[in-house]
Amino acid sequence: MFGRDEGLFVYLDTSFLSQFAKVEMGKLKASPHTEKWRELLARLRHEVQRGTLICPVSEFPVQEVLLSPKLVPHFHRVQSELSKGYFFEDWTDILVHQTANQVLIYLGRPQDINLGWDALTRENPGSPPPQFTRNAKEEVKQYAERLRKEKAPKESYAEQYEAEKISLLQESFLQPVRQLLGLDTYLKSPDPKLGMLIREANISEKEFPKLLDFFESDLVDRIPYIHIYCSIEASLRFYERTRKPKGGDFLDVPALACAMPYCPIVTTDKSMAHIVKSRELDTKYGTEIFTPTTKGIDDLLEKLEAFAQ
């Protein structure tokens, strides 16, 4: 994470990048708050030029900004400048690589871990059409709202976390492995993530039973994407019962699960920041969280100023 020539990785979410785009468009009314956004953008540009940091493009803000066509050109221009042309790997690739590492350790073959893998790429992972994102956000929000009203959460956070983990694992890895072993399953065809995992970890057919054992064990908690994703989802369900679900949760949760293991600086909205800090995920993954508030901007400016010392 800290050894690249391009400097530290900084994850900028949609809320920050949208403000920067509006600054470029001249759409923010003059105010002390507006000046802070201008100052923050200027500081980020300066540090990128110095090689102190880069802000790689994440697929999730790119996906979301397509719902605001007027922002898109300025949004992309700022992103391109601050990223120096780097993108985060697709979330699926990140999940599969992290999983492969843990599976190989479990199988006693740590020497086969792909140490040359990088969280960044020069290839644009692309984005689905805006209507897909619009529909998905609405469907996820409506489902979460029905769940909140009609079904009580588990009796403890730990149980809720386990439920979220099982839900995530079932279709991605557990059911496909069971299918390969000829066991009962509700899937008609394997999820492609399993095939990616088998290829990256070079898993043989005779190792499939051990692979199933791995996914049915608590060792999957060591996979950062799974741990972060399920911790946030469980917190939303168990601790934030009165919080009204947002369509943006559909993108914010996987974005944080992708970025936090690799970025010492991560931006997100206030509600997600609260959850991350309450579960001490920032401490576990060595990440500082900043929000699009006056204090959040000031704190990030102070952090960036320290680089100039």
Side-chain angles (χ1 to χ4, degrees):
M1 180 166 63
F2 298 95
R4 298 181 58 91
D5 293 338
E6 295 83 3
L8 301 182
F9 298 175
V10 175
Y11 171 69
L12 297 175
D13 75 328
T14 309
S15 64
F16 275 73
L17 287 165
S18 295
Q19 292 300 312
F20 294 154
K22 290 175 183 177
V23 166
E24 295 289 278
M25 295 169 68
K27 292 296 185 180
L28 290 181
K29 295 180 180 179
S31 70
H33 198 63
T34 303
E35 290 306 312
K36 287 183 183 296
W37 282 114
R38 289 197 180 101
E39 184 182 354
L40 178 57
L41 178 56
R43 172 54 65 180
L44 285 168
R45 281 174 164 155
H46 178 68
E47 297 304 333
V48 168
Q49 291 169 0
R50 288 180 60 211
T52 307
L53 57 83
I54 57 171
C55 309
V57 176
S58 168
E59 63 193 281
F60 301 103
V62 171
Q63 186 176 343
E64 190 160 25
V65 76
L66 293 178
L67 302 180
S68 305
K70 292 182 180 179
L71 281 181
V72 170
H74 300 276
F75 190 99
H76 284 172
R77 189 155 49 246
V78 171
Q79 262 195 332
S80 178
E81 182 181 356
L82 297 181
S83 70
K84 295 179 68 175
Y86 283 100
F87 298 82
F88 282 105
E89 291 279 6
D90 179 86
W91 73 269
T92 303
D93 293 317
I94 290 174
L95 170 59
V96 168
H97 174 72
Q98 292 176 357
T99 303
N101 280 351
Q102 294 303 320
V103 167
L104 286 168
I105 291 171
Y106 178 71
L107 294 176
R109 294 193 281 120
Q111 68 274 12
D112 290 343
I113 292 176
N114 181 7
L115 297 178
W117 186 87
D118 200 324
L120 299 191
T121 177
R122 288 287 192 175
E123 296 182 13
N124 187 337
S127 300
Q131 193 57 45
F132 169 86
T133 302
R134 187 176 291 109
N135 292 344
K137 288 178 71 172
E138 185 60 29
E139 289 171 8
V140 170
K141 183 173 73 172
Q142 289 180 6
Y143 172 76
E145 184 63 24
R146 287 198 306 272
L147 198 64
R148 184 173 72 93
K149 292 180 178 179
E150 299 172 7
K151 186 176 180 180
K154 300 296 183 181
E155 293 186 2
S156 69
Y157 168 80
E159 290 178 301
Q160 191 66 50
Y161 173 85
E162 287 298 314
E164 301 297 339
K165 182 173 68 175
I166 291 171
S167 176
L168 177 62
L169 286 173
Q170 283 288 11
E171 293 193 14
S172 58
F173 296 118
L174 264 172
Q175 290 294 319
V177 173
R178 290 180 60 84
Q179 189 177 50
L180 288 179
L181 290 170
L183 302 174
D184 290 339
T185 174
Y186 57 77
L187 289 183
K188 294 181 180 179
S189 60
D191 187 291
K193 287 188 281 296
L194 178 62
M196 293 169 63
L197 173 65
I198 290 172
R199 288 190 296 274
E200 178 163 348
N202 194 26
I203 299 171
S204 65
E205 186 174 347
K206 67 180 182 180
E207 291 174 315
F208 288 169
K210 285 189 175 181
L211 187 60
L212 180 61
D213 291 342
F214 171 82
F215 284 116
E216 291 180 337
S217 76
D218 291 338
L219 295 172
V220 293
D221 295 327
R222 298 180 184 179
I223 300 169
Y225 183 97
I226 290 176
H227 180 246
I228 295 168
Y229 185 96
C230 296
S231 295
I232 297 174
E233 288 288 350
S235 292
L236 286 169
R237 187 82 175 94
F238 187 79
Y239 290 117
E240 308 293 326
R241 304 180 197 185
T242 60
R243 175 185 181 273
K244 191 169 183 179
K246 302 177 182 178
D249 296 345
F250 161 67
L251 300 171
D252 290 342
V253 180
L256 288 168
C258 285
M260 286 182 61
Y262 306 105
C263 300
I265 295 174
V266 169
T267 66
T268 191
D269 66 33
K270 286 176 65 177
S271 62
M272 286 293 162
H274 167 71
I275 291 171
V276 166
K277 292 178 180 180
S278 68
R279 304 314 307 163
E280 299 183 346
L281 296 173
D282 53 335
T283 300
K284 178 176 178 61
Y285 293 98
T287 299
E288 292 187 69
I289 305 294
F290 299 89
T291 59
T293 61
T294 299
K295 184 178 186 309
I297 299 170
D298 284 340
D299 288 346
L300 183 49
L301 279 167
E302 183 179 346
K303 178 71 176 181
L304 296 175
E305 286 288 345
F307 294 149
Q309 303 303 318

